[in-house]
Amino acid sequence: RDVRSALQQIERALAIDPASAPAWTALGAARHAAGGRNEAAAAFEKAIAADPASAPAYIAAASYYWASGDLRRAESALERAVALEPSN
């Protein structure tokens, strides 16, 4: 539906499980869609901190960094994702 509703649902999920890398990744994507660049970056960083072995978190972060023009960080995040899941 709308981004505001998605943000509320994701924040409820994080209240239940604040260590959920998928929820932090979803929050980063939703905040980015809502125009919250700093908040999106922070959410992606929390996703990676919650699960440093989460290739999807690195892929989502890379997409965000690329869209934000930070190609160095995008490349680094993609390299980490490939290292974690080379067949993906």
Side-chain angles (χ1 to χ4, degrees), residues 31-67:
R31 285 183 171 167
H32 185 226
R37 292 181 54 153
N38 292 335
E39 296 87 355
F44 289 126
E45 289 171 13
K46 287 183 179 184
I48 291 167
D51 184 1
S54 172
Y58 282 101
I59 292 168
S63 178
Y64 164 78
Y65 294 135
W66 179 81

Side-chain angles (χ1 to χ4, degrees), residues 3 5 8-9 17 31 37 39 51 55 61-62 66-67 77 85:
V3 175
S5 175
Q8 290 172 348
Q9 291 176 19
D17 184 3
R31 285 183 171 167
R37 292 181 54 153
E39 296 87 355
D51 184 1
W66 179 81
E85 292 186 15

Side-chain angles (χ1 to χ4, degrees), residues 4-18 23 27:
R4 188 173 348 131
S5 175
L7 285 168
Q8 290 172 348
Q9 291 176 19
I10 297 164
E11 288 169 356
R12 280 195 294 264
L14 284 167
I16 294 167
D17 184 3
L27 184 63

Side-chain angles (χ1 to χ4, degrees), residues 62-84:
S63 178
Y64 164 78
Y65 294 135
W66 179 81
S68 299
D70 191 342
L71 303 183
R72 183 191 58 77
R73 286 183 81 182
E75 181 179 20
S76 176
L78 282 176
E79 287 173 350
R80 183 68 181 137
V82 169
L84 289 166

